Amino acid sequence: MRKRRDWLGKQYHKLSMPLSVVFLLSGRRFHPQYRMTWRRKWALGRRLYRNWRHIRTGISYKGHLAIAAKLLEIPPSVKGVVVECGCWLGGTTANLSVICDLVGRDLVVYDSFEGLPAPLAGDNMKPEVKGSFRGDLDVVRQNVREYGVIERCTFRKGWFSDTLSSHAEPIVLCFVDVDLKSSMHDCVVSLWPYLTPKGYLFFDEYTLLHNCAIFFSERFWRDYLGTTPPGLMGSGTGVGVGQYFLGPWLESPAIQRPTSLAYTRKDFNGRWDYFPESETASEPPAN
Ligand SMILES: C[S@@+](CC[C@H](N)C(=O)[O-])C[C@H]1O[C@@H](n2cnc3c(N)ncnc32)[C@H](O)[C@@H]1O
């Protein structure tokens, strides 16, 4: 049953690849300096698809294409790196490094390279998850060397609670795929201040509404970042990458597999402000 489901999923991805490239890379706001002719778009789509078939990843190449589309819109004059938090075997890292090379940016990768840490009480996860998704640094480097552009990458090894506080570069796009609430907390608190005004924070846990909730929590954004929540585009169903997901069930038919992602930006507003009984109902958002 599982084999058949995997086979069906592969066929679906293969057949929908050309259409996905057309839909996801047909943006009219790509910066002209990147010279994204259809020939170059097609070459990018094929390379991301091929890489994705070679290295196991948590998200699909369609998610990588959606990230590429946003990076291609950011003018080269905006200074900043791309950051990946949580890389496992480096499947997404390889593709991000290819996209970074196209837009002339560096990629900074944060991971323990020892898998997930032991969950904390608030994570509501079983202790057995410790060590899951382990990808040794040598394995990740080798994968990126073979399929990506290793020269674009800097690897920062260690637990987020130790490494992220030393981050110093502006960030035009950050991809967070770290599974635990405690890890998400560290990533958002430490890296959000470095996000450029129209930079993107992409997030993998979009089907898990209790994780998406961080982007709508007034208490979290007030206490840790002194602002209001930005919300999250795609929470629950993911951004449109040529798949569909009718949650909340994670066990679903092959082409319903949830392999999309969600994103937010500093200039988004996820704060509810309609309180008819209150005189201060229409205060403008603080961010
Ligand atoms: C689901 S995997 C990432 C999958 C990857 N993004 C992909 O597309 O294939 C989660 C990763 O987060 C890392 N991670 C989670 N919490 C961490 C923490 N607190 N410190 C360092 N690494 C962490 C794990 O080591 C693991 O590599």
Side-chain angles (χ1 to χ4, degrees):
M1 180 66 187
R2 194 186 162 90
K3 264 193 180 163
R4 191 178 133 74
R5 185 171 171 264
D6 287 351
W7 182 85
L8 262 176
K10 270 191 193 137
Q11 299 313 309
Y12 174 74
H13 278 303
K14 195 169 170 181
L15 291 173
S16 60
M17 198 276 263
L19 267 183
S20 302
V21 174
V22 171
F23 280 124
L24 289 163
L25 295 187
S26 63
R28 298 218 175 133
R29 282 179 294 184
F30 293 171
H31 198 278
Q33 215 165 309
Y34 301 128
R35 296 181 295 111
M36 287 309 283
T37 57
W38 273 107
R39 197 191 174 97
R40 279 163 68 85
K41 288 177 187 179
W42 183 238
L44 175 68
R46 273 182 45 189
R47 184 162 180 194
L48 299 192
Y49 174 67
R50 191 193 64 139
N51 286 351
W52 173 76
R53 285 182 49 204
H54 283 98
I55 317 170
R56 273 183 82 196
T57 65
I59 63 165
S60 89
Y61 72 97
K62 294 175 184 175
H64 301 155
L65 280 171
I67 291 179
K70 293 301 182 201
L71 277 172
L72 285 163
E73 288 179 8
I74 301 174
S77 56
V78 178
K79 297 268 170 286
V81 296
V82 174
V83 169
E84 181 183 21
C85 291
C87 69
W88 190 18
L89 300 171
T92 296
T93 318
N95 274 350
L96 286 180
S97 72
V98 169
I99 303 164
C100 280
D101 200 44
L102 193 70
V103 297
R105 298 194 185 273
D106 289 332
L107 174 64
V108 178
V109 182
Y110 288 99
D111 202 293
S112 64
F113 300 100
E114 293 179 25
L116 300 181
L120 303 178
D123 280 317
N124 298 327
M125 290 266 218
K126 294 189 178 134
E128 297 87 272
V129 300
K130 179 174 186 280
S132 314
F133 296 107
R134 180 190 174 116
D136 289 343
L137 180 51
D138 289 345
V139 172
V140 175
R141 276 213 176 103
Q142 185 48 37
N143 280 336
V144 178
R145 210 170 277 128
E146 201 166 336
Y147 297 103
V149 185
I150 192 82
E151 297 74 19
R152 287 280 170 194
C153 302
T154 304
F155 297 97
R156 299 191 181 150
K157 180 176 161 66
W159 301 113
F160 296 149
S161 49
D162 300 326
T163 53
L164 293 180
S165 55
S166 310
H167 186 89
E169 304 94 334
I171 301 172
V172 290
L173 188 142
C174 180
F175 175 48
V176 176
D177 180 7
V178 296
D179 293 17
L180 300 180
K181 282 187 183 151
S182 51
S183 300
M184 280 168 52
H185 173 104
D186 292 344
C187 294
V188 179
V189 169
S190 299
L191 299 180
W192 186 261
Y194 292 93
L195 206 60
T196 53
K198 290 189 175 179
Y200 288 88
L201 189 151
F202 272 83
F203 179 64
D204 180 61
E205 265 65 57
Y206 70 95
T207 58
L208 306 172
L209 289 180
H210 57 275
N211 283 347
C212 297
I214 191 173
F215 296 102
F216 296 90
S217 163
E218 305 216 352
R219 177 176 167 192
F220 171 84
W221 290 88
R222 184 191 59 227
D223 288 4
Y224 296 103
L225 292 153
T227 183
T228 53
L232 186 70
M233 286 285 179
S235 56
T237 55
V239 296
V241 294
Q243 294 218 155
Y244 65 96
F245 173 63
L246 304 174
W249 310 277
L250 290 177
E251 272 310 313
S252 49
I255 58 171
Q256 266 203 55
R257 201 175 298 172
T259 52
S260 180
L261 16 78
Y263 64 83
T264 188
R265 289 195 339 193
K266 273 187 175 163
D267 57 339
F268 286 2
N269 173 23
R271 190 187 67 136
W272 182 255
D273 62 359
Y274 179 70
F275 297 100
E277 69 284 359
S278 154
E279 282 176 23
T280 55
S282 311
E283 254 180 56
N287 54 355

